[in-house]
Structures are given as C-alpha cells and as structure tokens.
Amino acid sequence: AQKVTQAQTEISVVEKEDVTLDCVYETRDTTYYLFWYKQPPSGELVFLIRRNSFDEQNEISGRYSWNFQKSTSSFNFTITASQVVDSAVYFCALRANTGGFKTIFGAGTRLFVKA
Amino acid sequence: NAGVTQTPKFQVLKTGQSMTLQCAQDMNHEYMSWYRQDPGMGLRLIHYSVGAGITDQGEVPNGYNVSRSTTEDFPLRLLSAAPSQTSVYFCASSYRQGRANTEAFFGQGTRLTVV
C-alpha cells in the first residue's frame, strides 16, 4: 500500500525565516514519483516539483529547495527567507508505477507566514 | 488552451438528490482522476481512469460513479447525495512522458454542499 505522511498540520513563521515542510512516504515499488503542490488561499492547486525514485539529487529553485532521501523515505521541502505570499497549504504526493497510476496525497501542511 | 475545466463551480443539493459533476480536458491526456478535499484530510482519490473505457476505484469510491466514454470527459455522478459528501471536488489529468509520469493538472474545483 502507498501512504504519504505530513506530520506537521500547521506551521507559523515570521517573514524571512527559513521553514522546512516534512514528507514521509511508504511504497513497495522501486519506481515511483514524488510531487509537491501548493494551494494558496484562492484554492487552486499549483504544481511545484516532480522527482522520480531514481534521481536523489536535491533541487533548488529560487527560495525553494527539496531534499529527497530514499534511505529515510523522505522528500522534504524548504522555503528560505519566507514571504507572506508563501502562506498556503502544501501537499506532498506519491505515485507508483504499479497500482494503476494512482496518486496519493498527504493531508497537507498549512503554512502561515506573518509579516 | 483551457486545460482542465470543471462545472459547476458551486452547487447545493438536498439529501437524496442526484447530480453529475462535469470534468473536461483539452490536452489529450490519458489519465484522469477525481479527488475530494476535506479539512485536515488532504486530497483523497475517489475514482480514476487510465484511458477511455477504463476506470477504477480510489480510496473513497462509495457513493460515486464514473465513466470515461471519451478521452476528454470524465464525469462524476452522485446517485443519492448525502451530507457526508459535502466537500470540494477536484478533477485532474496527466499523461505519460516516455517512462515518466507527469504531474497532475487540476481543475479549479467544485464546492458541493449537501443539506
């Protein structure tokens, strides 16, 4: 069975602080994909990143960075120098190649960035 | 390019009524899914389809039916609405890119209230 756990329900930081959102996943597949999505207060879902199971390189995109560690089944997301516009719910998701192309989402982490 | 279009955006139903949530995509994507989003529970997969004529159940299929007669359309039917089906519903599509699976492209969501 596939499972995604985002243990942090809500996080509150002050602007310019760094913040890390945790994501732990479970799957028996050797080929799988991990995703992060952002849901701002307006409600739409915005794709942030995709990572496949064979690529453990960390990635940086502006103030965003992702740390993928297969040894701990984690795919954590860090925002550096947070801004008020980063306030949103962030979802981590998992799709395995077997199991019919299902994408399973975590419960999400709500991030509040205060000015 | 419209992407993924969901209609309606808002709907209020009485208990026992039936209705169909529409989802259409114009990107020729093979894969389509329906999710519901409830507070604190993230996105849960209701049903999904890997191509026209093929559908399968997700995590929470009870009370919902789907069909996929064309690549473009993937309607979600509530046969007898219940208050427990009050939620925000998202439709998503994606495709296979070589050996990789792309991220999901989401519609804007349908907010359904069952009274």
Side-chain angles (χ1 to χ4, degrees), chain A residues 31 33 35 37 39 43-45 47 50 54 91 95-97 99-108, chain B residues 31 35 37 40-43 45 48 50 57-59 90 94 96-97 99-104 106 108:
Chain A
T31 301
Y33 298 84
F35 306 84
Y37 292 85
Q39 187 177 44
E44 74 272 24
L45 286 150
F47 165 73
R50 176 187 76 191
F54 299 109
F91 293 100
R95 180 189 302 150
N97 260 18
F101 200 74
K102 292 185 287 189
T103 301
I104 302 300
F105 283 76
Chain B
Y31 307 108
Y35 293 87
Q37 183 178 17
M41 305 191 75
L43 284 87
L45 182 64
Y48 64 101
V50 298
Q57 297 181 346
E59 303 169 86
F90 285 98
S94 55
R96 188 177 293 278
Q97 189 176 43
R99 293 179 59 190
N101 295 296
T102 68
E103 70 277 14
F106 283 90
Q108 293 298 305

Side-chain angles (χ1 to χ4, degrees), chain B:
Chain B
N1 192 343
V4 179
T5 303
Q6 289 183 237
T7 55
K9 288 186 169 50
F10 301 95
Q11 183 69 48
V12 178
L13 287 179
K14 293 183 179 178
T15 297
Q17 284 186 317
S18 63
M19 80 159 294
T20 299
L21 307 186
Q22 301 291 345
C23 176
Q25 53 95 4
D26 61 359
M27 299 173 283
N28 201 33
H29 288 176
E30 309 111 293
Y31 307 108
M32 297 186 75
S33 314
W34 276 103
Y35 293 87
R36 59 177 289 173
Q37 183 178 17
D38 302 294
M41 305 191 75
L43 284 87
R44 292 183 292 169
L45 182 64
I46 304 172
H47 286 284
Y48 64 101
S49 169
V50 298
I54 306 169
T55 63
D56 206 347
Q57 297 181 346
E59 303 169 86
V60 288
N62 292 341
Y64 308 95
N65 280 352
V66 293
S67 59
R68 185 98 179 269
S69 55
T70 67
T71 299
E72 294 78 19
D73 299 300
F74 192 43
L76 178 72
R77 297 183 187 85
L78 284 71
L79 298 178
S80 179
S84 60
Q85 294 178 304
T86 294
S87 187
V88 179
Y89 291 84
F90 285 98
C91 179
S93 73
S94 55
Y95 64 100
R96 188 177 293 278
Q97 189 176 43
R99 293 179 59 190
N101 295 296
T102 68
E103 70 277 14
F105 294 75
F106 283 90
Q108 293 298 305
T110 296
R111 186 174 294 275
L112 175 68
T113 302
V114 183
V115 297

